[in-house]
Amino acid sequence: MTHAPVQRGARADPQRALPTAGRERPLYAVGMKTDGLGAHHFALLCLALILCRAPALASGDARDDRSAPAPYGALPSEAQRAWHEMEFYGFLHFTTNTFTDREWGHGDESPAVFAPTAFDADQIVSALAAAGMRGVILTAKHHDGFCLWDSAHTTHDITASPFGRDVVRAIADACRRRNMAFGVYLSPWDRNHAEYGRQGYRDAFKGQLTELLTNYGPIFEVWFDGANGGDGYYGGARESRLIDRASYYEWEKVHEIVRRLQPRACIFSDAGPEIRWIGNESGDAGDPCWATYSPAPRDGESAAAPGTTKYQEGHHGHRDGAKWMPGEVDVSIRPGWFYHAAEDDRVRSPENLVNLWYGSVGRGASLLLNVPPDRRGQIHEKDAAALKEMGRILRETFEKNLAHGATITATATRPGFTPDLAIDDRKDTFWSTPDDVRSGDLVIEFAQPTTLSVISVREAIALGQRVHRWAIDAEQHGAWREIAAGESIGARRIWRGAPVTTTRLRLRFTGPVCPAISDVSVHLEPDRATTASPP
Ligand code: FUL
């Protein structure tokens, strides 16, 4: 995603026609989640826990026995905690490029080309939901400037096309019908607008953002790309316009619009402020991938902003970074972001998609999987079939938690924060140890030998990212055998490996402060998921 055209060009020439280049339904729909507990509920609970105990913690007085651990480091906002529940959502790249077979439009495309023959927003959203996605982000405007809604700030929009219908509304409504959250991609760069690079476009950009955030109901994420400035049509000028990417858009004012109109929305860009780019488009978060991050400007840039950030550092994030700014992994199901019939045979396999899920969601990031609508205005059959099978594999993996019915013990326990709270399927409860015990183990004992291949662990992130290192041991022939170890847990960390049969599992945690583990679950993947297959 987000980098200046000059960098991007190294991988794929955007001007070329074809670059070579679970389980229950949405946890978060319009600010809500299910699975027993609302995100608000969770947030309030954690806050109450923290605030009620604050005086005792601060004064060092004799404490209430049952005080929660003090928070550590940068903390997620309430909107970020709700966003973490999203985990997996879809990206829809759809504009005139779909009909011109390009990846980046120049801005001079005629709106007449935008003519889907059988547009079906419900088919699109249902195909994404079948994979287990919980939301959708639509390219309301890509770099070519064509707006998929009726914008008062340009004539280059859907009303000038033969199609004529508001695509943003159609997708937003279809999302709501399926209990999916809705988000928007609004390209800062506009290669059509005559005023790009001047005050006129600066105002138009904010006006367009205001339209999108006012007229389409709740928005869970606002997506700002870092590719901006360069050559374009610009109302007929056909020239190159470079801007100062750090200052031109007045990002603080832009953020203020989002805060005012959609306080529960998270803003994505190279530099956040809520969600950071993972630094590549190949579909994997770093290992480890810290939720905390200190975005830094590239050499010669005055500030970290979309297109000016050392985005490569987003891959791992920074242990003890200044801000809670988790990573988002954006990747396409096909080589291109837009639909090209020539790529119909290059759709990722279900197994490859499942791998992407583990390499992103399984490392505490989110997966933003692009699935481009075709020229009918539907998800192509091949993509829909791959998504459906991906959804089946994930559903069958996670529908059964093998830790249910097991007994769980710990090497140390903080009063009131007992180990059973880590396997009670609730994210608002957690196991913890006394303040001076910074390393702790959980031992899960199954009633009988159990075969497992997936272990999912979550920290109580309202108290920060606390665990530094973790390891998992399985008991075999009466001795512990380490099967995995690593750094960072955060919102979720999933180990996935070859099936292991054991009666006892041990999870070891170490950090600068006592651990706070809200959830551990144990699963076995269905056969097909692990069979090797090409992408
Ligand atoms: C990039 C854009 O230039 C691509 O066209 C696409 O939208 C991708 C997600 O982000 O930076």
Side-chain angles (χ1 to χ4, degrees):
M1 83 127 234
T2 52
H3 24 99
V6 56
Q7 296 167 304
R8 192 179 172 85
R11 292 189 41 223
D13 176 4
Q15 301 305 332
R16 214 168 37 210
L18 277 178
T20 50
R23 62 192 204 210
E24 63 288 91
R25 271 305 64 235
L27 292 186
Y28 178 18
V30 192
M32 303 302 300
K33 73 181 200 50
T34 61
D35 102 329
L37 198 82
H40 269 117
H41 181 177
F42 175 51
L44 287 175
L45 224 131
C46 295
L47 205 70
L49 271 172
I50 295 164
L51 293 180
C52 293
R53 308 303 177 190
L57 292 171
S59 65
D61 291 349
R63 296 213 179 130
D64 174 335
D65 275 340
R66 296 177 167 254
S67 60
Y72 174 78
L75 301 177
S77 66
E78 186 183 339
Q80 286 173 315
R81 287 197 298 267
W83 173 87
H84 275 291
E85 299 296 328
M86 294 293 298
E87 290 193 337
F88 177 31
Y89 39 93
F91 218 176
L92 294 175
H93 273 69
F94 194 37
T95 185
T96 48
N97 293 344
T98 311
F99 302 89
T100 56
D101 230 359
R102 301 183 74 144
E103 277 289 301
W104 280 13
H106 193 66
D108 56 358
E109 296 73 25
S110 166
V113 303
F114 190 86
T117 52
F119 178 72
D120 186 344
D122 287 304
Q123 189 272 353
I124 293 173
V125 173
S126 301
L128 302 182
M133 297 187 194
R134 296 167 182 166
V136 176
I137 297 178
L138 170 69
T139 54
K141 182 182 80 170
H142 202 252
H143 312 325
D144 55 81
F146 182 70
C147 294
L148 295 183
W149 77 102
D150 176 5
S151 173
H153 302 278
T154 182
T155 53
H156 194 60
D157 68 21
I158 202 78
T159 59
S161 76
F163 183 68
R165 283 174 56 199
D166 185 333
V167 176
V168 179
R169 184 162 316 284
I171 298 291
D173 288 352
C175 282
R176 267 177 266 295
R177 282 194 286 276
R178 285 227 45 132
N179 207 17
M180 300 269 270
F182 180 64
V184 288
Y185 172 123
L186 179 67
S187 172
W189 189 18
D190 188 322
R191 304 174 90 189
N192 172 269
H193 208 286
E195 290 298 305
Y196 184 77
R198 308 187 188 120
Q199 183 63 37
Y201 175 71
R202 205 152 47 183
D203 296 340
F205 176 61
K206 295 189 186 78
Q208 291 180 340
L209 180 64
T210 301
E211 291 172 343
L212 290 172
L213 301 187
T214 309
N215 299 327
Y216 300 95
I219 300 288
F220 83 97
E221 182 169 326
V222 180
W223 217 92
F224 293 128
D225 196 84
N228 51 64
D231 58 343
Y233 173 69
Y234 304 129
R238 295 188 184 280
E239 61 191 7
S240 182
R241 292 188 184 170
L242 297 178
I243 45 120
D244 180 326
R245 290 192 293 264
S247 64
Y248 173 62
Y249 298 99
E250 303 174 313
W251 286 113
E252 274 169 29
K253 291 188 188 165
V254 172
H255 295 170
E256 197 278 318
I257 293 172
V258 180
R259 303 271 176 271
R260 185 162 42 82
L261 299 175
Q262 296 278 347
R264 290 185 60 82
C266 285
I267 302 171
F268 164 96
S269 83
D270 298 9
E274 276 88 32
I275 308 162
R276 72 173 196 264
W277 184 35
I278 208 65
N280 66 57
E281 293 176 342
S282 53
D284 74 304
D287 181 4
C289 181
W290 302 100
T292 47
Y293 186 51
S294 306
R298 285 203 296 267
D299 295 346
E301 298 284 359
S302 56
T308 67
T309 306
K310 284 184 184 162
Y311 62 85
Q312 296 89 341
E313 296 185 0
H315 196 225
H316 291 285
H318 301 126
R319 174 60 174 152
D320 295 324
K323 298 181 179 158
W324 189 275
M325 200 187 286
E328 177 181 89
V329 173
D330 62 323
V331 59
S332 187
I333 194 169
R334 292 159 170 255
W337 292 101
F338 286 91
Y339 176 82
H340 308 289
E343 296 178 353
D344 283 351
D345 291 326
R346 301 182 65 192
V347 176
R348 290 176 185 270
S349 69
E351 293 75 14
N352 180 275
L353 294 173
V354 169
N355 290 343
L356 296 182
W357 188 89
Y358 280 101
S360 50
V361 176
R363 293 182 185 156
S366 68
L367 175 57
L368 173 58
L369 179 63
N370 181 65
V371 189
D374 62 16
R375 288 185 182 180
R376 292 171 305 174
Q378 297 187 21
I379 299 302
H380 189 274
E381 290 70 8
K382 289 198 173 165
D383 308 54
L387 293 173
K388 193 168 170 207
E389 177 61 4
M390 173 196 196
R392 184 192 70 82
I393 294 170
L394 290 176
R395 212 173 36 251
E396 289 187 8
T397 304
F398 290 95
E399 68 194 356
K400 187 164 182 210
N401 180 357
L402 301 169
H404 284 159
T407 54
I408 184 162
T409 51
T411 44
T413 292
R414 185 182 196 95
F417 298 85
T418 48
D420 53 298
L421 300 177
I423 54 166
D424 64 354
D425 288 340
R426 291 178 56 165
K427 293 186 202 144
D428 62 328
T429 61
F430 56 92
W431 160 72
S432 187
T433 61
D435 285 344
D436 54 351
V437 181
R438 294 170 191 162
S439 295
D441 305 351
L442 284 174
V443 175
I444 297 176
E445 179 155 1
F446 303 105
Q448 63 220 20
T450 298
T451 304
L452 56 99
S453 60
V454 169
I455 300 172
S456 166
V457 183
R458 300 175 196 262
E459 281 187 89
I461 56 171
L463 299 178
Q465 184 149 22
R466 311 170 70 85
V467 173
H468 190 88
R469 287 196 64 77
W470 55 269
I472 302 174
D473 310 312
E475 191 186 63
Q476 289 191 326
H477 311 297
W480 289 119
R481 181 172 71 86
E482 184 175 291
I483 56 173
E487 293 183 349
S488 174
I489 295 178
R492 195 165 189 189
R493 183 66 197 239
I494 306 179
W495 167 79
R496 179 199 196 201
V500 175
T501 302
T502 187
T503 309
R504 296 210 305 157
L505 270 183
R506 182 170 70 180
L507 285 78
R508 290 179 277 135
F509 305 102
T510 313
V513 285
C514 62
I517 303 296
S518 70
D519 189 63
V520 176
S521 64
V522 180
H523 312 271
L524 178 65
E525 284 193 278
D527 285 351
R528 170 146 187 216
T530 44
T531 52
S533 84

